[in-house]
Amino acid sequence: MGTRQIEFHIAADPPSRLDKALSRDVPAEENLSRTRLGRLIESGAVLVDGSQVTDPKAKVTEGATVKITVAEAEDSHIGPEEIPLDVVYEDDDLIVINKPAGMVVHPAPGSPNGTLVNALLHHCGSDLSGVGGVKRPGIVHRIDKETSGLLVVAKSDAAHHGLAAQFEAHTVERYYRAICYGVPDANEPRLRGVKGVSFEPGNVMRLTTQLARHKTDRQRQAVLFHGGRHAVTRARVVETFGAPAGLALIECWLETGRTHQIRVHMAHVGHGLVGDPVYGGKRKLAVKAFDPATVEAVRAFPRQALHAAVLGFEHPITGESLRFEANLPKDMENLIDRLRAPLS
């Protein structure tokens, strides 16, 4: 595997730590994040004025000459596959995809190919400058296989680091649309008694719990109030269906982004998502709410009715505010059209 040498000088008023100083002064076109630079320092790949420095916290002075030996990015062990992609936005640093339901984001033992990563390796090709030293797309967040909608993926190490920091800080805007059983409403006494539920102005339901893997079913997440990871979801009703109202189109937005968060939170409050095979999305509807064909369409909906509709963040390199929207996919649109139809 080949290597390249990067040489530059430390500018005026350097930060107190070497890794921070390198992150500030390394040429931008090298696409090296502070995390990657820290690893290069620790591996002995950094010389300061001719001397090897292996402590990321070491001090560095203005005018010091830095030489970094960087291995050329390796090809990923994951193979590229020519799979069509709905590209919403793309530049040298990142790509935003509207993922279809049924596509896994990253290869795993049960899904070794046909994934979003396989498709991106083919689509981006030589445009991938290397994430963590490997020519691969930088996955900073995921949505479930059967959830559709927007994902941002990094094409460089620096973009990956910048996007990951925003997700960690919970500053990324993420809105979902979903179809749930029942109508979550502040006036419903039952909901008022569910632990973790509160209501904010505008009939916005706020769900605050801990989430962790279920003790006996490893495919599920479970709501906890001690231990696990902090999780906050907000939801509001957009439209109701049926007479009496039996289903609702809801908008959910995430303060945190845990595995299955919306699905498990909505199930916790008794308003599970239509079609959700894990958290009970096959509930019976009131006999008078819909005609038999509509009831069957709801029962047969083949996936959780959940779509990542809005994604907003700050561009990790330019600082520009970006916001993207993706319309509901056809399967959810068709189901909503049927739910809106008057009883025959």
Side-chain angles (χ1 to χ4, degrees):
M1 180 173 59
T3 61
R4 70 181 191 277
Q5 294 278 336
I6 303 169
E7 183 172 340
F8 58 97
H9 297 283
I10 298 296
D13 300 319
S16 59
R17 294 169 52 119
L18 176 61
D19 57 353
K20 290 183 178 181
L22 298 191
S23 180
R24 184 193 71 172
D25 294 339
V26 70
E29 62 269 18
E30 298 296 343
N31 287 309
L32 295 176
S33 67
R34 182 178 154 198
T35 302
R36 179 90 188 281
L37 288 165
R39 290 199 295 265
L40 288 167
I41 294 168
E42 292 170 346
S43 70
V46 175
L47 301 179
V48 179
D49 288 334
S51 298
Q52 187 181 72
V53 181
T54 57
D55 181 5
K57 298 179 182 178
K59 293 187 179 300
V60 65
T61 58
E62 176 183 340
T65 300
V66 177
K67 291 183 180 179
I68 307 176
T69 301
V70 181
E72 298 290 357
E74 301 175 357
D75 289 332
S76 171
H77 69 282
I78 302 169
E81 295 181 43
E82 190 173 356
I83 301 169
L85 289 173
D86 182 359
V87 178
V88 177
Y89 174 87
E90 183 175 13
D91 62 22
D92 291 342
D93 302 294
L94 56 86
I95 183 169
V96 177
I97 299 293
N98 183 16
K99 185 189 83 68
M103 175 181 273
V104 175
V105 171
H106 197 282
S111 304
N113 48 46
T115 71
L116 179 62
V117 168
N118 295 111
L120 286 170
L121 284 167
H122 179 273
H123 174 85
C124 297
S126 60
D127 289 345
L128 294 172
S129 61
V131 174
V134 179
K135 288 183 179 178
R136 62 182 176 89
I139 303 298
V140 290
H141 68 128
R142 305 186 191 196
I143 55 179
D144 299 331
K145 175 183 177 181
E146 297 300 342
T147 298
S148 55
L150 295 169
L151 277 165
V152 59
V153 180
K155 294 168 66 175
S156 69
D157 204 43
H160 185 260
H161 179 74
L163 288 169
Q166 293 180 60
F167 276 93
E168 186 175 353
H170 308 309
T171 59
V172 178
E173 180 186 12
R174 283 177 289 173
Y175 283 81
Y176 290 71
R177 289 290 177 101
I179 304 170
C180 73
Y181 286 93
V183 180
D185 190 284
N187 295 318
E188 186 183 346
R190 181 193 65 80
L191 269 183
R192 293 284 184 177
V194 176
K195 191 172 183 179
V197 174
S198 60
F199 281 88
E200 298 175 341
N203 204 15
V204 172
M205 180 173 62
R206 185 178 192 267
L207 306 169
T208 307
T209 73
Q210 307 294 111
L211 293 182
R213 195 183 292 273
H214 196 280
K215 287 183 178 179
T216 58
D217 186 346
R218 308 303 287 173
Q219 302 302 313
R220 294 166 60 96
Q221 295 290 306
V223 167
L224 305 173
F225 293 94
H226 301 285
R229 304 181 73 189
H230 182 62
V232 179
T233 304
R234 287 178 173 84
R236 71 174 185 89
V237 174
V238 176
E239 187 176 354
T240 63
F241 310 104
L247 297 169
L249 174 65
I250 58 173
E251 181 175 65
C252 302
W253 56 105
L254 301 178
E255 187 172 307
T256 57
R258 311 303 182 200
T259 302
H260 297 178
Q261 181 174 316
I262 291 172
R263 298 165 62 192
V264 69
H265 265 169
M266 293 307 297
H268 170 67
V269 298
H271 293 287
L273 303 190
V274 165
D276 191 330
V278 177
Y279 298 99
K282 300 289 186 184
R283 283 172 43 180
K284 288 186 177 180
L285 292 171
V287 176
K288 296 180 180 179
F290 304 100
D291 62 52
T294 301
V295 170
E296 176 57 24
V298 173
R299 191 202 66 78
F301 197 75
R303 66 176 182 100
Q304 62 263 9
L306 181 61
H307 175 69
V310 175
L311 180 64
F313 55 90
E314 185 179 281
H315 194 290
I317 306 302
T318 68
E320 179 186 1
S321 292
L322 300 175
R323 190 177 191 272
F324 306 97
E325 296 188 36
N327 293 331
L328 287 176
K330 281 295 181 184
D331 61 349
M332 287 182 67
E333 268 192 357
N334 291 341
L335 181 59
I336 289 171
D337 286 344
R338 177 173 281 279
L339 293 173
R340 287 173 178 156
L343 282 170
S344 54

